[in-house]
Amino acid sequence: MDNCIFCKIVRGEIPARQVYEDELVLAFHDIQPQRPTHILVIPKRHIASLAEVTSADEPVLGRMLAIAQQLARAHGSADGFRAIINTGRVGGQEVPHLHMHIVGGPDPVGPMLKKI
Ligand code: 5GP
Ligand code: ZN
Protein backbone atom coordinates (compact mmCIF):
# COMPACT_ATOMS: atom_id res chain seq x y z
CA MET A 1 0.00 0.00 0.00
CA ASP A 2 2.01 2.92 -1.36
CA ASN A 3 0.23 5.74 0.42
CA CYS A 4 -0.65 4.07 3.71
CA ILE A 5 0.99 5.97 6.56
CA PHE A 6 1.51 2.87 8.71
CA CYS A 7 2.92 0.89 5.77
CA LYS A 8 5.37 3.78 5.36
CA ILE A 9 6.38 3.37 9.00
CA VAL A 10 6.86 -0.38 8.42
CA ARG A 11 9.10 0.40 5.43
CA GLY A 12 11.04 3.01 7.41
CA GLU A 13 9.96 5.80 5.06
CA ILE A 14 8.62 7.94 7.87
CA PRO A 15 9.98 7.93 11.41
CA ALA A 16 8.26 6.47 14.44
CA ARG A 17 9.33 5.91 18.03
CA GLN A 18 9.43 2.15 17.66
CA VAL A 19 9.27 -0.01 20.79
CA TYR A 20 8.90 -3.54 19.40
CA GLU A 21 9.30 -5.48 16.17
CA ASP A 22 9.08 -9.11 15.15
CA GLU A 23 8.32 -10.92 11.91
CA LEU A 24 4.58 -10.19 12.14
CA VAL A 25 4.05 -6.94 14.01
CA LEU A 26 5.49 -3.54 14.78
CA ALA A 27 4.75 -1.34 17.82
CA PHE A 28 5.48 2.36 18.27
CA HIS A 29 4.37 5.34 20.34
CA ASP A 30 1.28 7.16 19.13
CA ILE A 31 2.22 10.57 17.74
CA GLN A 32 -0.56 12.21 19.77
CA PRO A 33 -0.72 10.28 23.03
CA GLN A 34 -4.09 10.32 24.82
CA ARG A 35 -2.68 8.85 28.03
CA PRO A 36 0.83 8.59 29.56
CA THR A 37 1.11 5.18 27.89
CA HIS A 38 -0.15 5.15 24.30
CA ILE A 39 1.35 2.58 21.98
CA LEU A 40 0.09 1.36 18.62
CA VAL A 41 0.55 -2.26 17.58
CA ILE A 42 0.15 -2.97 13.86
CA PRO A 43 0.50 -5.91 11.52
CA LYS A 44 3.48 -5.42 9.20
CA ARG A 45 1.36 -6.62 6.30
CA HIS A 46 -1.33 -4.16 5.25
CA ILE A 47 -4.74 -5.12 6.61
CA ALA A 48 -7.23 -2.27 6.32
CA SER A 49 -9.21 -2.96 9.47
CA LEU A 50 -10.57 -5.58 11.81
CA ALA A 51 -13.53 -5.75 9.43
CA GLU A 52 -11.23 -7.09 6.70
CA VAL A 53 -9.48 -9.93 8.50
CA THR A 54 -9.73 -13.57 7.51
CA SER A 55 -8.78 -16.78 9.26
CA ALA A 56 -5.36 -16.46 7.58
CA ASP A 57 -4.72 -13.45 9.81
CA GLU A 58 -5.18 -15.36 13.07
CA PRO A 59 -1.43 -15.63 13.78
CA VAL A 60 -0.86 -11.89 13.52
CA LEU A 61 -4.03 -11.08 15.48
CA GLY A 62 -2.93 -13.45 18.21
CA ARG A 63 0.51 -11.89 18.31
CA MET A 64 -0.94 -8.39 18.65
CA LEU A 65 -2.89 -9.45 21.72
CA ALA A 66 -0.17 -11.63 23.17
CA ILE A 67 2.48 -8.89 23.25
CA ALA A 68 0.18 -6.19 24.68
CA GLN A 69 0.91 -6.88 28.34
CA GLN A 70 4.68 -6.81 27.94
CA LEU A 71 4.52 -3.51 26.04
CA ALA A 72 2.18 -1.96 28.61
CA ARG A 73 4.40 -3.06 31.49
CA ALA A 74 7.58 -1.85 29.81
CA HIS A 75 6.08 1.56 29.03
CA GLY A 76 4.49 2.78 32.22
CA SER A 77 1.28 0.80 32.62
CA ALA A 78 2.18 -2.07 34.93
CA ASP A 79 -1.17 -2.30 36.70
CA GLY A 80 -3.38 -2.94 33.69
CA PHE A 81 -4.14 -1.17 30.44
CA ARG A 82 -6.81 -0.86 27.79
CA ALA A 83 -6.54 -2.32 24.30
CA ILE A 84 -8.69 -0.59 21.68
CA ILE A 85 -9.22 -1.41 18.01
CA ASN A 86 -11.31 1.26 16.33
CA THR A 87 -12.90 -0.24 13.23
CA GLY A 88 -14.39 1.51 10.21
CA ARG A 89 -16.67 4.52 10.14
CA VAL A 90 -18.81 3.51 13.09
CA GLY A 91 -15.76 2.61 15.15
CA GLY A 92 -14.13 5.98 14.43
CA GLN A 93 -11.07 4.51 12.69
CA GLU A 94 -8.92 7.27 11.19
CA VAL A 95 -5.94 5.39 9.82
CA PRO A 96 -7.02 2.60 7.43
CA HIS A 97 -4.32 0.11 8.49
CA LEU A 98 -5.36 -2.18 11.34
CA HIS A 99 -3.93 -1.04 14.65
CA MET A 100 -4.46 -1.74 18.31
CA HIS A 101 -4.08 1.11 20.79
CA ILE A 102 -2.57 0.20 24.16
CA VAL A 103 -3.45 3.02 26.53
CA GLY A 104 -2.71 3.36 30.20
CA GLY A 105 -0.36 4.84 32.72
CA PRO A 106 -0.36 5.12 36.50
CA ASP A 107 -4.04 6.08 36.70
CA PRO A 108 -7.25 4.43 35.44
CA VAL A 109 -8.03 5.38 31.85
CA GLY A 110 -11.69 6.09 32.69
CA PRO A 111 -15.06 4.99 31.34
CA MET A 112 -15.01 2.75 28.31
CA LEU A 113 -17.18 5.09 26.24
CA LYS A 114 -18.30 8.66 26.60
CA LYS A 115 -22.02 8.54 27.41
CA ILE A 116 -24.25 9.78 24.58
P1 5GP B 1 -7.58 5.58 14.99
O1 5GP B 1 -8.44 6.77 15.24
O2 5GP B 1 -7.48 5.27 13.51
O3 5GP B 1 -7.94 4.37 15.82
O4 5GP B 1 -6.14 5.96 15.51
C1 5GP B 1 -5.13 6.43 14.69
C2 5GP B 1 -3.99 6.84 15.60
O5 5GP B 1 -2.83 6.97 14.83
C3 5GP B 1 -4.22 8.17 16.32
O6 5GP B 1 -4.16 7.98 17.73
C4 5GP B 1 -3.08 9.06 15.79
O7 5GP B 1 -2.56 9.92 16.78
C5 5GP B 1 -2.07 8.02 15.34
N1 5GP B 1 -1.23 8.46 14.23
C6 5GP B 1 -1.65 9.02 13.08
N2 5GP B 1 -0.61 9.27 12.28
C7 5GP B 1 0.51 8.84 12.95
C8 5GP B 1 1.90 8.85 12.62
O8 5GP B 1 2.35 9.28 11.57
N3 5GP B 1 2.74 8.33 13.57
C9 5GP B 1 2.29 7.86 14.76
N4 5GP B 1 3.21 7.37 15.59
N5 5GP B 1 0.98 7.84 15.08
C10 5GP B 1 0.11 8.33 14.19
ZN1 ZN C 1 -0.91 -0.07 5.46
Side-chain angles (χ1 to χ4, degrees):
M1 292 295 283
D2 288 355
N3 279 327
C4 170
I5 194 158
F6 287 173
C7 283
K8 286 184 178 176
I9 288 175
V10 171
R11 292 195 297 265
E13 293 171 9
I14 62 171
R17 291 171 57 213
Q18 194 174 308
V19 294
Y20 178 86
E21 179 177 18
D22 64 28
E23 80 282 14
L24 293 175
V25 306
L26 192 68
F28 49 87
H29 289 284
D30 196 290
I31 204 166
Q32 247 186 314
Q34 303 295 315
R35 292 292 184 280
T37 302
H38 191 165
I39 289 168
L40 300 174
V41 185
I42 69 169
K44 282 183 162 176
R45 191 177 75 75
H46 183 85
I47 301 171
S49 83
L50 201 56
E52 320 283 325
V53 302
T54 70
S55 57
D57 300 315
E58 285 173 12
V60 71
L61 295 169
R63 184 69 57 83
M64 289 169 68
L65 290 171
I67 65 167
Q69 45 99 6
Q70 85 189 49
L71 294 174
R73 203 179 310 113
H75 296 280
S77 202
D79 198 21
F81 59 91
R82 185 168 297 159
I84 300 168
I85 303 179
N86 296 322
T87 303
R89 181 182 65 84
V90 171
Q93 181 178 2
E94 287 177 1
V95 176
H97 180 129
L98 174 63
H99 52 281
M100 179 172 72
H101 300 255
I102 298 172
V103 288
D107 304 316
V109 297
M112 187 170 73
L113 295 172
K114 215 196 287 184
K115 291 200 173 132
I116 53 175

